[in-house]
Amino acid sequence: MSAQDYDSQLLESVAVRRRRLRDAVLFGAQRQRRTLDERHGKVVAGIVLGAVLCAGCVGWSFVSHRIVGKSTYGPSVPVSTTSQPPATSTGTPSAR
């Protein structure tokens, strides 16, 4: 056995040992649950990402409406809530 073979074998065994130790620290003794845990992490990450995107859209809408100062959903001129009867002119003087 040459020194080159021994060195490559040693490096490979060290890499395998490190990978196994890392997996043991991350996942513990329950290796079967690893794929389930990874899926749960992806689901939670997706929900968080969706919530952040929704919050960003709501914030952008709020800021843009504040800057522009008018809404695209309603009239841009405020409507008065007090109403006055319309003035009618018939052309004849009214008798008092």
Side-chain angles (χ1 to χ4, degrees):
M1 185 153 130
S2 69
Q4 183 70 24
D5 292 336
Y6 178 74
D7 288 343
S8 64
Q9 184 181 10
L10 181 63
L11 290 174
E12 185 178 347
S13 67
V14 168
V16 168
R17 185 180 190 103
R18 285 182 180 171
R19 186 176 67 239
R20 287 182 181 167
L21 284 173
R22 185 195 66 211
D23 289 344
V25 168
L26 290 176
F27 304 113
Q30 298 175 344
R31 288 177 148 183
Q32 296 84 10
R33 296 188 63 192
R34 177 176 21 190
T35 58
L36 184 63
D37 290 340
E38 288 174 355
R39 280 188 236 142
H40 282 289
K42 289 179 182 179
V43 168
V44 170
I47 290 171
V48 168
L49 182 63
V52 168
L53 286 174
C54 286
C57 290
V58 168
W60 177 260
S61 176
F62 177 76
V63 169
S64 66
H65 283 277
R66 283 289 188 170
I67 290 173
V68 172
K70 58 183 173 183
S71 174
T72 58
Y73 300 110
S76 60
V77 177
V79 177
S80 67
T81 58
T82 60
S83 62
Q84 297 177 354
T88 59
S89 64
T90 58
T92 59
S94 61
R96 288 190 189 194

